[in-house]
Amino acid sequence: MPELELERELDLAVPDRTWFAEVNRTRLRVWEWGSPDAPPVICVHGAFDHGRMWDGFAPRLAGLGFRVLCPDLRGHGDSGRLGTGHMWLASALDLAELARLVGGGEPVGFVGHSFGGGQSLYVAGVWPEVVRWVVNLDGLGPPADQFEQRDIVEAATNSMTALARVSGPPRVYPSLDDMAERRGRVNVRLPGPWVEHLVRHGAAEVEGGGWVWKSDPMFSAGLPGDFDLAYLYAEFEMVTSVPVLVLTGSEHDTWSEMTDDEVADRVSHLPTAVHRVIDGAGHYVHVEQPEAVLAAIAEFVR
């Protein structure tokens, strides 16, 4: 489906502006909505996504009177690649530097989804002076069994295997439809047109034919599993001065596999957090129920 036709079907507004931010020895593609003079809010996408996943929600948020900035994170979309080592810290520092750049000496709001929610909390814990508030959209981390301790030799072997796997040439897909079919099998609750939209802006055509994902393959070699749950709790407990709103969906979904008790336990380690459940939504709460999420944010920031 052509891009304009697809965005018309989803009732999406293209970004008002786009630019590259030079931060932390890399550059981030930033997509923007709203008045440049309005208070800034940074929307942080999840793993393997990109800034255009906010196309449906960012204009609504800008309607509340914000300048909404949606960067492609390091290793995603059109931004710089990951490099090697400490990529979680590098990405969080990127966001802190972006907040300093656009905040003009004042703290800014953060809305983070999934991995982006965790990154936003990390920024709020380590650099609270740059964060006014955080809205975390189903970004409390994976279920506890993902943090199981492993033998150090096994962990090192798994890391080397993962690095070898992602160091080769990327997989080339024959068409965007093939990529959408694969992604649709993972995000089963996302409507087909939304899957197509995310794929279209998250893929790059290669010389000789075919398509590859824009996300850096190195990212998949460093997903959680090499540290324990206590480490995550320690990160959460650093957020002592920044107000936090946690929004989770009521429906079971891929990457939304924690029980209610697990969610409550995670929230209990965030000293300043309040939690609300959005009915009729899974992991992509802001895509499935944007008006309910917007209303919750509007109430929170008031």
Side-chain angles (χ1 to χ4, degrees):
M1 183 181 295
E3 182 176 338
L4 290 178
E5 181 182 343
L6 181 62
E7 291 175 347
R8 198 174 297 119
E9 178 177 341
L10 290 171
D11 192 26
L12 300 181
V14 298
D16 294 335
R17 296 169 296 280
T18 185
W19 52 287
F20 283 99
E22 302 289 337
V23 296
N24 193 22
R25 293 187 292 182
T26 192
R27 69 176 195 164
L28 304 180
R29 164 80 82 171
V30 180
W31 310 94
E32 243 191 80
W33 287 261
S35 169
D37 299 322
V41 172
I42 298 175
C43 290
V44 190
H45 65 76
F48 306 107
D49 270 324
H50 45 76
R52 298 298 298 273
M53 67 92 65
W54 297 101
D55 279 11
F57 191 75
R60 291 176 164 93
L61 193 56
L64 295 181
F66 293 113
R67 174 190 178 190
V68 182
L69 303 105
C70 305
D72 294 344
L73 290 177
R74 176 188 293 247
H76 295 76
D78 299 328
S79 290
R81 300 296 85 187
L82 286 172
T84 57
H86 305 294
M87 61 184 179
W88 312 106
L89 298 178
S91 182
L93 180 57
D94 294 345
L95 290 170
E97 290 298 307
L98 179 62
R100 290 190 177 99
L101 181 66
V102 302
E106 296 294 327
V108 309
F110 274 82
V111 179
H113 173 244
S114 193
F115 171 74
Q119 290 280 281
S120 300
L121 291 176
Y122 192 92
V123 175
V126 179
W127 301 282
E129 70 279 2
V130 304
V131 185
R132 186 175 300 278
W133 43 259
V134 171
V135 176
N136 180 295
L137 304 177
D138 202 17
L140 298 174
D145 60 10
Q146 298 290 314
F147 294 95
E148 291 178 356
Q149 289 292 305
R150 293 182 294 187
D151 175 80
I152 188 170
V153 175
E154 178 190 359
T157 301
N158 290 344
S159 294
M160 294 300 292
T161 301
L163 286 171
R165 185 181 65 248
V166 302
S167 297
R171 176 178 176 180
V172 178
Y173 292 81
S175 69
L176 292 175
D177 289 340
D178 290 291
M179 301 178 89
E181 192 276 332
R182 177 177 174 82
R183 170 122 197 200
R185 294 201 308 266
V186 176
N187 299 130
V188 294
R189 289 185 60 89
L190 276 179
W194 255 108
V195 173
E196 293 177 30
H197 175 76
L198 293 175
V199 167
R200 183 170 295 278
H201 291 288
E205 194 168 9
V206 296
E207 187 176 351
W211 299 78
V212 297
W213 298 110
K214 285 183 178 180
S215 56
D216 192 330
M218 186 65 71
F219 187 83
S220 62
L223 290 174
D226 293 332
F227 56 89
D228 60 25
L229 198 53
Y231 187 97
L232 183 70
Y233 289 160
E235 285 188 7
F236 285 4
E237 289 164 2
M238 290 192 302
V239 187
T240 58
S241 60
V242 175
V244 176
L245 172 65
V246 176
L247 300 178
T248 56
S250 63
E251 306 304 310
H252 181 82
D253 194 8
T254 309
W255 299 322
S256 294
E257 299 164 334
M258 287 192 291
T259 66
D260 291 345
D261 288 343
E262 282 183 295
V263 172
D265 179 57
R266 299 286 171 91
V267 174
S268 73
H269 289 273
L270 287 164
T272 62
V274 293
H275 174 221
R276 285 191 55 184
V277 176
I278 302 297
D279 290 334
H283 183 57
Y284 283 82
V285 287
H286 57 301
V287 172
E288 292 193 57
Q289 299 295 338
E291 297 305 331
V293 171
L294 187 71
I297 292 175
E299 180 181 354
F300 173 66
V301 300
R302 275 200 298 268

mmCIF file with all atom_site columns, all heavy atoms in Angstrom, residues 210-227:
data_model
loop_
_atom_site.group_PDB
_atom_site.id
_atom_site.type_symbol
_atom_site.label_atom_id
_atom_site.label_alt_id
_atom_site.label_comp_id
_atom_site.label_asym_id
_atom_site.label_entity_id
_atom_site.label_seq_id
_atom_site.pdbx_PDB_ins_code
_atom_site.Cartn_x
_atom_site.Cartn_y
_atom_site.Cartn_z
_atom_site.occupancy
_atom_site.B_iso_or_equiv
_atom_site.pdbx_formal_charge
_atom_site.auth_seq_id
_atom_site.auth_comp_id
_atom_site.auth_asym_id
_atom_site.auth_atom_id
_atom_site.pdbx_PDB_model_num
ATOM 1   N N   . GLY A 1 210 ? 15.240 -6.153  -2.615 1.00 0.00 ? 210 GLY A N   1
ATOM 2   C CA  . GLY A 1 210 ? 14.972 -6.655  -1.277 1.00 0.00 ? 210 GLY A CA  1
ATOM 3   C C   . GLY A 1 210 ? 15.051 -5.561  -0.224 1.00 0.00 ? 210 GLY A C   1
ATOM 4   O O   . GLY A 1 210 ? 15.408 -4.407  -0.506 1.00 0.00 ? 210 GLY A O   1
ATOM 5   N N   . TRP A 1 211 ? 14.716 -5.952  1.002  1.00 0.00 ? 211 TRP A N   1
ATOM 6   C CA  . TRP A 1 211 ? 14.614 -4.998  2.110  1.00 0.00 ? 211 TRP A CA  1
ATOM 7   C C   . TRP A 1 211 ? 15.256 -5.593  3.356  1.00 0.00 ? 211 TRP A C   1
ATOM 8   O O   . TRP A 1 211 ? 15.232 -6.801  3.561  1.00 0.00 ? 211 TRP A O   1
ATOM 9   C CB  . TRP A 1 211 ? 13.144 -4.668  2.398  1.00 0.00 ? 211 TRP A CB  1
ATOM 10  C CG  . TRP A 1 211 ? 12.427 -4.044  1.247  1.00 0.00 ? 211 TRP A CG  1
ATOM 11  C CD1 . TRP A 1 211 ? 11.928 -4.682  0.141  1.00 0.00 ? 211 TRP A CD1 1
ATOM 12  C CD2 . TRP A 1 211 ? 12.142 -2.668  1.083  1.00 0.00 ? 211 TRP A CD2 1
ATOM 13  N NE1 . TRP A 1 211 ? 11.343 -3.777  -0.710 1.00 0.00 ? 211 TRP A NE1 1
ATOM 14  C CE2 . TRP A 1 211 ? 11.453 -2.533  -0.161 1.00 0.00 ? 211 TRP A CE2 1
ATOM 15  C CE3 . TRP A 1 211 ? 12.380 -1.529  1.843  1.00 0.00 ? 211 TRP A CE3 1
ATOM 16  C CZ2 . TRP A 1 211 ? 11.019 -1.308  -0.632 1.00 0.00 ? 211 TRP A CZ2 1
ATOM 17  C CZ3 . TRP A 1 211 ? 11.944 -0.301  1.373  1.00 0.00 ? 211 TRP A CZ3 1
ATOM 18  C CH2 . TRP A 1 211 ? 11.270 -0.193  0.148  1.00 0.00 ? 211 TRP A CH2 1
ATOM 19  N N   . VAL A 1 212 ? 15.803 -4.705  4.205  1.00 0.00 ? 212 VAL A N   1
ATOM 20  C CA  . VAL A 1 212 ? 16.347 -5.119  5.498  1.00 0.00 ? 212 VAL A CA  1
ATOM 21  C C   . VAL A 1 212 ? 15.768 -4.200  6.572  1.00 0.00 ? 212 VAL A C   1
ATOM 22  O O   . VAL A 1 212 ? 15.336 -3.082  6.284  1.00 0.00 ? 212 VAL A O   1
ATOM 23  C CB  . VAL A 1 212 ? 17.890 -5.046  5.528  1.00 0.00 ? 212 VAL A CB  1
ATOM 24  C CG1 . VAL A 1 212 ? 18.493 -6.011  4.524  1.00 0.00 ? 212 VAL A CG1 1
ATOM 25  C CG2 . VAL A 1 212 ? 18.375 -3.618  5.265  1.00 0.00 ? 212 VAL A CG2 1
ATOM 26  N N   . TRP A 1 213 ? 15.772 -4.695  7.809  1.00 0.00 ? 213 TRP A N   1
ATOM 27  C CA  . TRP A 1 213 ? 15.344 -3.844  8.922  1.00 0.00 ? 213 TRP A CA  1
ATOM 28  C C   . TRP A 1 213 ? 16.387 -2.754  9.156  1.00 0.00 ? 213 TRP A C   1
ATOM 29  O O   . TRP A 1 213 ? 17.588 -2.991  9.076  1.00 0.00 ? 213 TRP A O   1
ATOM 30  C CB  . TRP A 1 213 ? 15.183 -4.663  10.201 1.00 0.00 ? 213 TRP A CB  1
ATOM 31  C CG  . TRP A 1 213 ? 14.139 -5.729  10.142 1.00 0.00 ? 213 TRP A CG  1
ATOM 32  C CD1 . TRP A 1 213 ? 14.346 -7.069  10.130 1.00 0.00 ? 213 TRP A CD1 1
ATOM 33  C CD2 . TRP A 1 213 ? 12.715 -5.540  10.103 1.00 0.00 ? 213 TRP A CD2 1
ATOM 34  N NE1 . TRP A 1 213 ? 13.143 -7.744  10.084 1.00 0.00 ? 213 TRP A NE1 1
ATOM 35  C CE2 . TRP A 1 213 ? 12.121 -6.824  10.055 1.00 0.00 ? 213 TRP A CE2 1
ATOM 36  C CE3 . TRP A 1 213 ? 11.883 -4.411  10.085 1.00 0.00 ? 213 TRP A CE3 1
ATOM 37  C CZ2 . TRP A 1 213 ? 10.737 -7.014  10.007 1.00 0.00 ? 213 TRP A CZ2 1
ATOM 38  C CZ3 . TRP A 1 213 ? 10.514 -4.608  10.030 1.00 0.00 ? 213 TRP A CZ3 1
ATOM 39  C CH2 . TRP A 1 213 ? 9.953  -5.886  9.993  1.00 0.00 ? 213 TRP A CH2 1
ATOM 40  N N   . LYS A 1 214 ? 15.924 -1.553  9.482  1.00 0.00 ? 214 LYS A N   1
ATOM 41  C CA  . LYS A 1 214 ? 16.843 -0.464  9.791  1.00 0.00 ? 214 LYS A CA  1
ATOM 42  C C   . LYS A 1 214 ? 17.530 -0.660  11.143 1.00 0.00 ? 214 LYS A C   1
ATOM 43  O O   . LYS A 1 214 ? 18.628 -0.159  11.361 1.00 0.00 ? 214 LYS A O   1
ATOM 44  C CB  . LYS A 1 214 ? 16.093 0.882   9.804  1.00 0.00 ? 214 LYS A CB  1
ATOM 45  C CG  . LYS A 1 214 ? 15.727 1.425   8.437  1.00 0.00 ? 214 LYS A CG  1
ATOM 46  C CD  . LYS A 1 214 ? 15.060 2.788   8.580  1.00 0.00 ? 214 LYS A CD  1
ATOM 47  C CE  . LYS A 1 214 ? 14.722 3.406   7.229  1.00 0.00 ? 214 LYS A CE  1
ATOM 48  N NZ  . LYS A 1 214 ? 14.068 4.739   7.384  1.00 0.00 ? 214 LYS A NZ  1
ATOM 49  N N   . SER A 1 215 ? 16.886 -1.342  12.072 1.00 0.00 ? 215 SER A N   1
ATOM 50  C CA  . SER A 1 215 ? 17.459 -1.500  13.406 1.00 0.00 ? 215 SER A CA  1
ATOM 51  C C   . SER A 1 215 ? 18.781 -2.260  13.330 1.00 0.00 ? 215 SER A C   1
ATOM 52  O O   . SER A 1 215 ? 18.940 -3.197  12.549 1.00 0.00 ? 215 SER A O   1
ATOM 53  C CB  . SER A 1 215 ? 16.478 -2.217  14.330 1.00 0.00 ? 215 SER A CB  1
ATOM 54  O OG  . SER A 1 215 ? 16.094 -3.464  13.794 1.00 0.00 ? 215 SER A OG  1
ATOM 55  N N   . ASP A 1 216 ? 19.735 -1.832  14.138 1.00 0.00 ? 216 ASP A N   1
ATOM 56  C CA  . ASP A 1 216 ? 21.060 -2.424  14.167 1.00 0.00 ? 216 ASP A CA  1
ATOM 57  C C   . ASP A 1 216 ? 20.968 -3.858  14.701 1.00 0.00 ? 216 ASP A C   1
ATOM 58  O O   . ASP A 1 216 ? 20.461 -4.071  15.803 1.00 0.00 ? 216 ASP A O   1
ATOM 59  C CB  . ASP A 1 216 ? 21.953 -1.586  15.082 1.00 0.00 ? 216 ASP A CB  1
ATOM 60  C CG  . ASP A 1 216 ? 23.423 -1.946  14.970 1.00 0.00 ? 216 ASP A CG  1
ATOM 61  O OD1 . ASP A 1 216 ? 23.717 -3.118  14.671 1.00 0.00 ? 216 ASP A OD1 1
ATOM 62  O OD2 . ASP A 1 216 ? 24.265 -1.054  15.201 1.00 0.00 ? 216 ASP A OD2 1
ATOM 63  N N   . PRO A 1 217 ? 21.440 -4.869  13.952 1.00 0.00 ? 217 PRO A N   1
ATOM 64  C CA  . PRO A 1 217 ? 21.383 -6.248  14.446 1.00 0.00 ? 217 PRO A CA  1
ATOM 65  C C   . PRO A 1 217 ? 22.064 -6.435  15.801 1.00 0.00 ? 217 PRO A C   1
ATOM 66  O O   . PRO A 1 217 ? 21.704 -7.335  16.558 1.00 0.00 ? 217 PRO A O   1
ATOM 67  C CB  . PRO A 1 217 ? 22.096 -7.052  13.354 1.00 0.00 ? 217 PRO A CB  1
ATOM 68  C CG  . PRO A 1 217 ? 21.997 -6.218  12.121 1.00 0.00 ? 217 PRO A CG  1
ATOM 69  C CD  . PRO A 1 217 ? 22.038 -4.795  12.601 1.00 0.00 ? 217 PRO A CD  1
ATOM 70  N N   . MET A 1 218 ? 23.035 -5.582  16.123 1.00 0.00 ? 218 MET A N   1
ATOM 71  C CA  . MET A 1 218 ? 23.742 -5.693  17.390 1.00 0.00 ? 218 MET A CA  1
ATOM 72  C C   . MET A 1 218 ? 22.800 -5.531  18.581 1.00 0.00 ? 218 MET A C   1
ATOM 73  O O   . MET A 1 218 ? 23.054 -6.046  19.667 1.00 0.00 ? 218 MET A O   1
ATOM 74  C CB  . MET A 1 218 ? 24.852 -4.644  17.449 1.00 0.00 ? 218 MET A CB  1
ATOM 75  C CG  . MET A 1 218 ? 25.765 -4.738  18.662 1.00 0.00 ? 218 MET A CG  1
ATOM 76  S SD  . MET A 1 218 ? 26.726 -6.258  18.696 1.00 0.00 ? 218 MET A SD  1
ATOM 77  C CE  . MET A 1 218 ? 27.866 -5.947  17.345 1.00 0.00 ? 218 MET A CE  1
ATOM 78  N N   . PHE A 1 219 ? 21.682 -4.828  18.362 1.00 0.00 ? 219 PHE A N   1
ATOM 79  C CA  . PHE A 1 219 ? 20.742 -4.593  19.455 1.00 0.00 ? 219 PHE A CA  1
ATOM 80  C C   . PHE A 1 219 ? 20.217 -5.904  20.033 1.00 0.00 ? 219 PHE A C   1
ATOM 81  O O   . PHE A 1 219 ? 20.065 -6.048  21.240 1.00 0.00 ? 219 PHE A O   1
ATOM 82  C CB  . PHE A 1 219 ? 19.577 -3.724  18.954 1.00 0.00 ? 219 PHE A CB  1
ATOM 83  C CG  . PHE A 1 219 ? 18.652 -3.281  20.049 1.00 0.00 ? 219 PHE A CG  1
ATOM 84  C CD1 . PHE A 1 219 ? 18.952 -2.176  20.818 1.00 0.00 ? 219 PHE A CD1 1
ATOM 85  C CD2 . PHE A 1 219 ? 17.486 -3.979  20.326 1.00 0.00 ? 219 PHE A CD2 1
ATOM 86  C CE1 . PHE A 1 219 ? 18.108 -1.762  21.838 1.00 0.00 ? 219 PHE A CE1 1
ATOM 87  C CE2 . PHE A 1 219 ? 16.637 -3.578  21.346 1.00 0.00 ? 219 PHE A CE2 1
ATOM 88  C CZ  . PHE A 1 219 ? 16.950 -2.455  22.099 1.00 0.00 ? 219 PHE A CZ  1
ATOM 89  N N   . SER A 1 220 ? 19.941 -6.866  19.180 1.00 0.00 ? 220 SER A N   1
ATOM 90  C CA  . SER A 1 220 ? 19.365 -8.126  19.648 1.00 0.00 ? 220 SER A CA  1
ATOM 91  C C   . SER A 1 220 ? 20.365 -8.978  20.411 1.00 0.00 ? 220 SER A C   1
ATOM 92  O O   . SER A 1 220 ? 19.988 -9.951  21.068 1.00 0.00 ? 220 SER A O   1
ATOM 93  C CB  . SER A 1 220 ? 18.801 -8.931  18.474 1.00 0.00 ? 220 SER A CB  1
ATOM 94  O OG  . SER A 1 220 ? 19.834 -9.271  17.563 1.00 0.00 ? 220 SER A OG  1
ATOM 95  N N   . ALA A 1 221 ? 21.661 -8.609  20.355 1.00 0.00 ? 221 ALA A N   1
ATOM 96  C CA  . ALA A 1 221 ? 22.674 -9.368  21.097 1.00 0.00 ? 221 ALA A CA  1
ATOM 97  C C   . ALA A 1 221 ? 22.787 -8.912  22.537 1.00 0.00 ? 221 ALA A C   1
ATOM 98  O O   . ALA A 1 221 ? 23.500 -9.529  23.321 1.00 0.00 ? 221 ALA A O   1
ATOM 99  C CB  . ALA A 1 221 ? 24.031 -9.224  20.423 1.00 0.00 ? 221 ALA A CB  1
ATOM 100 N N   . GLY A 1 222 ? 22.063 -7.848  22.899 1.00 0.00 ? 222 GLY A N   1
ATOM 101 C CA  . GLY A 1 222 ? 22.213 -7.332  24.257 1.00 0.00 ? 222 GLY A CA  1
ATOM 102 C C   . GLY A 1 222 ? 20.919 -7.154  24.999 1.00 0.00 ? 222 GLY A C   1
ATOM 103 O O   . GLY A 1 222 ? 20.812 -6.315  25.896 1.00 0.00 ? 222 GLY A O   1
ATOM 104 N N   . LEU A 1 223 ? 19.899 -7.918  24.642 1.00 0.00 ? 223 LEU A N   1
ATOM 105 C CA  . LEU A 1 223 ? 18.622 -7.799  25.338 1.00 0.00 ? 223 LEU A CA  1
ATOM 106 C C   . LEU A 1 223 ? 18.726 -8.352  26.751 1.00 0.00 ? 223 LEU A C   1
ATOM 107 O O   . LEU A 1 223 ? 19.620 -9.136  27.054 1.00 0.00 ? 223 LEU A O   1
ATOM 108 C CB  . LEU A 1 223 ? 17.528 -8.529  24.554 1.00 0.00 ? 223 LEU A CB  1
ATOM 109 C CG  . LEU A 1 223 ? 17.148 -7.847  23.244 1.00 0.00 ? 223 LEU A CG  1
ATOM 110 C CD1 . LEU A 1 223 ? 16.168 -8.714  22.463 1.00 0.00 ? 223 LEU A CD1 1
ATOM 111 C CD2 . LEU A 1 223 ? 16.532 -6.474  23.500 1.00 0.00 ? 223 LEU A CD2 1
ATOM 112 N N   . PRO A 1 224 ? 17.803 -7.963  27.678 1.00 0.00 ? 224 PRO A N   1
ATOM 113 C CA  . PRO A 1 224 ? 17.916 -8.352  29.089 1.00 0.00 ? 224 PRO A CA  1
ATOM 114 C C   . PRO A 1 224 ? 18.070 -9.851  29.268 1.00 0.00 ? 224 PRO A C   1
ATOM 115 O O   . PRO A 1 224 ? 17.588 -10.650 28.475 1.00 0.00 ? 224 PRO A O   1
ATOM 116 C CB  . PRO A 1 224 ? 16.591 -7.855  29.677 1.00 0.00 ? 224 PRO A CB  1
ATOM 117 C CG  . PRO A 1 224 ? 16.208 -6.710  28.822 1.00 0.00 ? 224 PRO A CG  1
ATOM 118 C CD  . PRO A 1 224 ? 16.666 -7.085  27.434 1.00 0.00 ? 224 PRO A CD  1
ATOM 119 N N   . GLY A 1 225 ? 18.716 -10.219 30.356 1.00 0.00 ? 225 GLY A N   1
ATOM 120 C CA  . GLY A 1 225 ? 18.932 -11.622 30.658 1.00 0.00 ? 225 GLY A CA  1
ATOM 121 C C   . GLY A 1 225 ? 20.273 -11.840 31.327 1.00 0.00 ? 225 GLY A C   1
ATOM 122 O O   . GLY A 1 225 ? 20.510 -12.882 31.924 1.00 0.00 ? 225 GLY A O   1
ATOM 123 N N   . ASP A 1 226 ? 21.148 -10.840 31.266 1.00 0.00 ? 226 ASP A N   1
ATOM 124 C CA  . ASP A 1 226 ? 22.462 -10.971 31.859 1.00 0.00 ? 226 ASP A CA  1
ATOM 125 C C   . ASP A 1 226 ? 22.578 -10.239 33.198 1.00 0.00 ? 226 ASP A C   1
ATOM 126 O O   . ASP A 1 226 ? 23.673 -10.083 33.723 1.00 0.00 ? 226 ASP A O   1
ATOM 127 C CB  . ASP A 1 226 ? 23.530 -10.440 30.889 1.00 0.00 ? 226 ASP A CB  1
ATOM 128 C CG  . ASP A 1 226 ? 23.645 -11.318 29.648 1.00 0.00 ? 226 ASP A CG  1
ATOM 129 O OD1 . ASP A 1 226 ? 23.346 -12.516 29.754 1.00 0.00 ? 226 ASP A OD1 1
ATOM 130 O OD2 . ASP A 1 226 ? 24.029 -10.793 28.592 1.00 0.00 ? 226 ASP A OD2 1
ATOM 131 N N   . PHE A 1 227 ? 21.487 -9.734  33.736 1.00 0.00 ? 227 PHE A N   1
ATOM 132 C CA  . PHE A 1 227 ? 21.504 -9.185  35.082 1.00 0.00 ? 227 PHE A CA  1
ATOM 133 C C   . PHE A 1 227 ? 20.220 -9.601  35.775 1.00 0.00 ? 227 PHE A C   1
ATOM 134 O O   . PHE A 1 227 ? 19.262 -10.019 35.142 1.00 0.00 ? 227 PHE A O   1
ATOM 135 C CB  . PHE A 1 227 ? 21.659 -7.660  35.063 1.00 0.00 ? 227 PHE A CB  1
ATOM 136 C CG  . PHE A 1 227 ? 20.609 -6.928  34.255 1.00 0.00 ? 227 PHE A CG  1
ATOM 137 C CD1 . PHE A 1 227 ? 19.416 -6.525  34.825 1.00 0.00 ? 227 PHE A CD1 1
ATOM 138 C CD2 . PHE A 1 227 ? 20.842 -6.628  32.925 1.00 0.00 ? 227 PHE A CD2 1
ATOM 139 C CE1 . PHE A 1 227 ? 18.465 -5.839  34.083 1.00 0.00 ? 227 PHE A CE1 1
ATOM 140 C CE2 . PHE A 1 227 ? 19.887 -5.951  32.180 1.00 0.00 ? 227 PHE A CE2 1
ATOM 141 C CZ  . PHE A 1 227 ? 18.706 -5.556  32.752 1.00 0.00 ? 227 PHE A CZ  1
#
